[in-house]
Short mmCIF file of all heavy atoms in Angstrom, two decimals:
data_model
loop_
_atom_site.label_atom_id
_atom_site.label_comp_id
_atom_site.label_asym_id
_atom_site.label_seq_id
_atom_site.Cartn_x
_atom_site.Cartn_y
_atom_site.Cartn_z
N LYS W 194 -16.72 -6.50 -23.49
CA LYS W 194 -15.58 -5.74 -23.21
C LYS W 194 -15.80 -5.03 -21.86
O LYS W 194 -16.91 -4.80 -21.45
CB LYS W 194 -15.37 -4.62 -24.28
CG LYS W 194 -14.97 -5.25 -25.67
CD LYS W 194 -14.70 -4.15 -26.68
CE LYS W 194 -14.42 -4.82 -28.02
NZ LYS W 194 -14.17 -3.72 -28.99
N THR W 195 -14.63 -4.80 -21.20
CA THR W 195 -14.78 -4.15 -19.86
C THR W 195 -13.96 -2.86 -19.80
O THR W 195 -13.00 -2.67 -20.45
CB THR W 195 -14.27 -5.07 -18.82
OG1 THR W 195 -12.91 -5.39 -19.06
CG2 THR W 195 -15.09 -6.41 -18.66
N ASN W 196 -14.47 -2.02 -19.00
CA ASN W 196 -13.80 -0.71 -18.70
C ASN W 196 -13.46 -0.73 -17.24
O ASN W 196 -14.25 -1.06 -16.39
CB ASN W 196 -14.75 0.48 -19.04
CG ASN W 196 -14.07 1.75 -18.88
OD1 ASN W 196 -13.24 1.93 -18.18
ND2 ASN W 196 -14.63 2.72 -19.64
N PHE W 197 -12.13 -0.31 -16.96
CA PHE W 197 -11.73 -0.32 -15.56
C PHE W 197 -12.67 0.52 -14.69
O PHE W 197 -12.80 0.23 -13.48
CB PHE W 197 -10.36 0.29 -15.40
CG PHE W 197 -9.78 0.40 -14.07
CD1 PHE W 197 -9.44 -0.73 -13.32
CD2 PHE W 197 -9.77 1.59 -13.40
CE1 PHE W 197 -9.01 -0.63 -12.06
CE2 PHE W 197 -9.28 1.74 -12.12
CZ PHE W 197 -8.91 0.66 -11.37
N MET W 198 -13.23 1.62 -15.27
CA MET W 198 -14.01 2.53 -14.38
C MET W 198 -15.47 2.29 -14.72
O MET W 198 -16.25 3.26 -14.94
CB MET W 198 -13.58 3.91 -14.70
CG MET W 198 -12.20 4.24 -14.08
SD MET W 198 -11.57 5.79 -14.65
CE MET W 198 -11.25 5.49 -16.36
N ASN W 199 -16.01 1.12 -14.73
CA ASN W 199 -17.40 0.91 -15.05
C ASN W 199 -18.02 0.05 -13.83
O ASN W 199 -17.40 -0.26 -12.86
CB ASN W 199 -17.71 0.20 -16.35
CG ASN W 199 -17.14 -1.17 -16.46
OD1 ASN W 199 -16.95 -1.84 -15.42
ND2 ASN W 199 -16.79 -1.62 -17.62
N GLU W 200 -19.32 -0.29 -14.04
CA GLU W 200 -20.10 -0.84 -12.98
C GLU W 200 -19.51 -2.34 -12.64
O GLU W 200 -20.04 -2.92 -11.73
CB GLU W 200 -21.55 -0.85 -13.25
CG GLU W 200 -22.22 0.56 -13.30
CD GLU W 200 -21.94 1.16 -14.68
OE1 GLU W 200 -21.31 0.58 -15.59
OE2 GLU W 200 -22.45 2.24 -14.94
N ASP W 201 -18.76 -2.91 -13.52
CA ASP W 201 -18.33 -4.26 -13.28
C ASP W 201 -17.12 -4.33 -12.33
O ASP W 201 -16.64 -5.41 -12.03
CB ASP W 201 -17.83 -4.79 -14.67
CG ASP W 201 -19.02 -5.14 -15.55
OD1 ASP W 201 -20.14 -5.40 -15.03
OD2 ASP W 201 -18.92 -5.13 -16.76
N GLU W 282 -15.03 9.22 -11.08
CA GLU W 282 -16.41 9.24 -11.68
C GLU W 282 -16.46 10.14 -12.89
O GLU W 282 -17.09 9.73 -13.96
CB GLU W 282 -17.45 9.64 -10.74
CG GLU W 282 -17.77 8.64 -9.57
CD GLU W 282 -18.45 7.38 -10.13
OE1 GLU W 282 -19.29 7.52 -11.07
OE2 GLU W 282 -18.08 6.23 -9.76
N MET W 284 -13.93 10.74 -14.84
CA MET W 284 -13.18 10.06 -15.90
C MET W 284 -14.05 8.90 -16.49
O MET W 284 -13.99 8.70 -17.70
CB MET W 284 -11.91 9.49 -15.30
CG MET W 284 -10.85 10.58 -14.94
SD MET W 284 -9.40 9.92 -14.34
CE MET W 284 -8.67 9.05 -15.77
N ARG W 285 -14.79 8.20 -15.62
CA ARG W 285 -15.65 7.10 -16.13
C ARG W 285 -16.66 7.73 -17.08
O ARG W 285 -16.95 7.08 -18.14
CB ARG W 285 -16.35 6.46 -14.94
CG ARG W 285 -17.21 5.24 -15.34
CD ARG W 285 -17.96 4.72 -14.15
NE ARG W 285 -19.05 5.64 -13.71
CZ ARG W 285 -20.26 5.69 -14.33
NH1 ARG W 285 -20.47 4.95 -15.44
NH2 ARG W 285 -21.13 6.58 -13.79
N GLU W 286 -17.32 8.87 -16.76
CA GLU W 286 -18.32 9.46 -17.65
C GLU W 286 -17.61 9.97 -18.95
O GLU W 286 -18.24 9.87 -19.96
CB GLU W 286 -19.02 10.52 -16.88
CG GLU W 286 -19.82 10.13 -15.70
CD GLU W 286 -20.42 11.28 -14.88
OE1 GLU W 286 -20.21 12.46 -15.34
OE2 GLU W 286 -21.02 11.02 -13.89
N MET W 287 -16.42 10.50 -18.82
CA MET W 287 -15.70 10.94 -20.01
C MET W 287 -15.44 9.77 -20.92
O MET W 287 -15.70 9.90 -22.15
CB MET W 287 -14.46 11.65 -19.63
CG MET W 287 -13.60 12.22 -20.81
SD MET W 287 -12.08 12.92 -20.25
CE MET W 287 -11.20 11.50 -19.66
N TYR W 288 -14.98 8.72 -20.38
CA TYR W 288 -14.69 7.54 -21.23
C TYR W 288 -15.99 7.04 -21.90
O TYR W 288 -15.97 6.64 -23.07
CB TYR W 288 -14.15 6.39 -20.37
CG TYR W 288 -12.60 6.39 -20.43
CD1 TYR W 288 -11.88 7.15 -19.44
CD2 TYR W 288 -11.82 5.69 -21.34
CE1 TYR W 288 -10.48 7.15 -19.36
CE2 TYR W 288 -10.44 5.73 -21.28
CZ TYR W 288 -9.80 6.50 -20.33
OH TYR W 288 -8.40 6.51 -20.30
N GLY W 289 -17.12 7.00 -21.09
CA GLY W 289 -18.36 6.55 -21.69
C GLY W 289 -18.76 7.42 -22.88
O GLY W 289 -19.24 6.93 -23.85
N GLY W 290 -18.70 8.77 -22.62
CA GLY W 290 -19.13 9.72 -23.70
C GLY W 290 -18.25 9.63 -24.93
O GLY W 290 -18.71 9.60 -26.02
N GLN W 291 -16.90 9.55 -24.75
CA GLN W 291 -16.02 9.59 -25.90
C GLN W 291 -16.06 8.31 -26.66
O GLN W 291 -15.81 8.29 -27.85
CB GLN W 291 -14.51 9.80 -25.43
CG GLN W 291 -14.29 11.17 -24.87
CD GLN W 291 -12.82 11.37 -24.46
OE1 GLN W 291 -12.08 10.41 -24.31
NE2 GLN W 291 -12.42 12.57 -24.30
N ARG W 292 -16.42 7.19 -26.01
CA ARG W 292 -16.48 5.91 -26.68
C ARG W 292 -17.74 5.62 -27.23
O ARG W 292 -18.00 4.47 -27.71
CB ARG W 292 -15.94 4.75 -25.68
CG ARG W 292 -14.65 5.03 -25.14
CD ARG W 292 -13.48 4.90 -26.13
NE ARG W 292 -12.25 5.16 -25.53
CZ ARG W 292 -11.11 4.69 -25.95
NH1 ARG W 292 -11.11 3.68 -26.79
NH2 ARG W 292 -9.94 5.06 -25.35
N GLY W 293 -18.71 6.53 -27.18
CA GLY W 293 -19.99 6.35 -27.71
C GLY W 293 -20.94 5.55 -26.87
O GLY W 293 -21.90 5.03 -27.26
N GLY W 294 -20.59 5.36 -25.53
CA GLY W 294 -21.43 4.56 -24.67
C GLY W 294 -22.48 5.30 -24.07
O GLY W 294 -23.33 4.75 -23.37
N GLY W 295 -22.49 6.67 -24.20
CA GLY W 295 -23.53 7.43 -23.52
C GLY W 295 -23.29 7.49 -22.05
O GLY W 295 -22.27 7.06 -21.47
N PRO W 296 -24.22 8.12 -21.24
CA PRO W 296 -24.11 8.25 -19.81
C PRO W 296 -23.80 6.98 -19.06
O PRO W 296 -23.08 6.99 -18.12
CB PRO W 296 -25.42 8.92 -19.39
CG PRO W 296 -25.94 9.57 -20.68
CD PRO W 296 -25.51 8.66 -21.77
N GLY W 297 -24.36 5.85 -19.48
CA GLY W 297 -24.14 4.67 -18.70
C GLY W 297 -23.53 3.66 -19.49
O GLY W 297 -23.44 2.43 -19.23
N GLY W 298 -23.01 4.09 -20.70
CA GLY W 298 -22.43 3.05 -21.68
C GLY W 298 -21.07 2.48 -21.11
O GLY W 298 -20.41 3.06 -20.31
N ARG W 299 -20.76 1.35 -21.65
CA ARG W 299 -19.53 0.68 -21.39
C ARG W 299 -18.77 0.33 -22.55
O ARG W 299 -19.27 -0.20 -23.61
CB ARG W 299 -19.81 -0.65 -20.59
CG ARG W 299 -20.58 -0.49 -19.34
CD ARG W 299 -20.72 -1.79 -18.66
NE ARG W 299 -21.94 -1.93 -17.90
CZ ARG W 299 -22.30 -3.10 -17.34
NH1 ARG W 299 -21.66 -4.11 -17.46
NH2 ARG W 299 -23.52 -3.13 -16.76
N ARG W 300 -17.48 0.74 -22.58
CA ARG W 300 -16.64 0.45 -23.70
C ARG W 300 -15.26 0.07 -23.18
O ARG W 300 -14.90 0.39 -22.10
CB ARG W 300 -16.46 1.68 -24.67
CG ARG W 300 -17.79 1.98 -25.37
CD ARG W 300 -18.09 0.96 -26.47
NE ARG W 300 -19.23 1.31 -27.22
CZ ARG W 300 -20.46 1.00 -26.90
NH1 ARG W 300 -20.80 0.39 -25.81
NH2 ARG W 300 -21.43 1.37 -27.82
N GLY W 301 -14.48 -0.70 -23.93
CA GLY W 301 -13.23 -1.11 -23.54
C GLY W 301 -12.22 0.07 -23.77
O GLY W 301 -12.54 1.09 -24.23
N PHE W 302 -11.01 -0.20 -23.24
CA PHE W 302 -9.99 0.84 -23.32
C PHE W 302 -9.69 1.14 -24.80
O PHE W 302 -9.63 0.27 -25.58
CB PHE W 302 -8.63 0.36 -22.56
CG PHE W 302 -8.66 0.63 -21.18
CD1 PHE W 302 -9.39 -0.11 -20.21
CD2 PHE W 302 -8.06 1.83 -20.72
CE1 PHE W 302 -9.40 0.16 -18.92
CE2 PHE W 302 -8.08 2.11 -19.35
CZ PHE W 302 -8.76 1.29 -18.42
#
Side-chain angles (χ1 to χ4, degrees):
K194 296 180 180 180
T195 59
N196 184 333
F197 175 74
M198 291 170 288
N199 66 25
E200 296 84 355
D201 289 332
E282 285 296 320
M284 292 180 67
R285 183 185 70 81
E286 292 175 5
M287 181 181 68
Y288 268 87
Q291 289 182 348
R292 304 290 175 148
R299 303 183 209 171
R300 292 291 185 270
F302 273 82

